């Protein structure tokens, strides 16, 4: 009986965690990142650190994941089509860019594009980076 309850709880919890309806929106990301900037600048406080951590962690995770995915795709494609140069990323965050700069880019993009605030947070981050750090322009 305990095992069934545990399995049921895992199933319910797993479906809640993986549901797109529970993903962070760009509006939530904007709020968290504005809070993070106030903390970084010393003009505000984040009592429990959650908004700041959510912003910094989410932005870093999405950008790292994008870069890893791009490199992985290039490797996999070359296995099957050696002559193919691989997909090109839409952006490249400059070497030496610090988290504060990248958070500012994300906040500016989201403030300038309120029509995208309903989109998932990852979408806002990718669009912000694509606009700020395009490759080939």
């Amino acid at each position: 009986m305990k095992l069934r309850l545990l399995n049921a709880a895992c199933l319910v919890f797993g479906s809640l965690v993986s549901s797109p309806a529970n993903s962070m929106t760009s509006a939530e990301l904007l709020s968290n990142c504005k809070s993070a900037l106030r903390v970084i600048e010393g003009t505000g406080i984040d009592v429990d650190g959650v908004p700041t951590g959510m912003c910094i962690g989410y932005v870093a995770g999405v950008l790292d994941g994008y870069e890893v995915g791009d490199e992985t795709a290039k490797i996999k494609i070359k296995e099957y089509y050696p002559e193919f140069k691989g997909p090109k990323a839409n952006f490249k965050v400059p070497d030496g860019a610090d988290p504060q700069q990248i958070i500012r880019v994300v906040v500016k993009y989201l403030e300038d594009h309120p029509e995208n605030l309903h989109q998932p947070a990852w979408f806002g981050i990718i669009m912000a980076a694509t606009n700020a750090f395009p490759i080939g322009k």
Side-chain angles (χ1 to χ4, degrees):
M1 179 67 166
K2 288 181 183 179
L3 186 57
R4 281 189 184 179
L5 287 175
L6 180 61
N7 286 338
C10 288
L11 180 63
V12 170
F13 181 71
S15 66
L16 291 174
V17 171
S18 64
S19 170
N22 292 322
S23 297
M24 186 187 312
T25 65
S26 289
E28 293 165 322
L29 178 69
L30 177 59
S31 176
N32 288 338
C33 287
K34 282 182 169 182
S35 177
L37 283 177
R38 286 190 296 272
V39 170
I40 291 167
E41 294 166 348
T43 60
I45 59 168
D46 185 353
V47 175
D48 60 7
V50 172
T52 299
M54 289 289 290
C55 170
I56 294 170
Y58 207 93
V59 170
V62 167
L63 293 177
D64 285 349
Y66 186 86
E67 186 175 333
V68 167
D70 184 56
E71 290 302 314
T72 302
K74 288 177 187 174
I75 292 167
K76 283 303 205 187
I77 288 172
K78 285 182 181 181
E79 284 180 23
Y80 300 103
Y81 304 101
E83 70 281 356
F84 186 67
K85 301 297 180 201
K88 294 190 177 188
N90 297 329
F91 65 87
K92 171 72 172 110
V93 175
D95 293 335
D98 65 6
Q100 183 177 354
Q101 177 187 3
I102 296 168
I103 292 169
R104 287 185 185 287
V105 165
V106 170
V107 167
K108 179 170 181 0
Y109 175 83
L110 293 175
E111 287 180 336
D112 291 349
H113 295 84
E115 71 276 10
N116 290 329
L117 292 177
H118 69 286
Q119 297 286 353
W122 64 262
F123 178 85
I125 296 166
I126 298 297
M127 292 302 296
T130 300
N131 282 315
F133 311 117
I135 291 179
K137 291 186 181 181

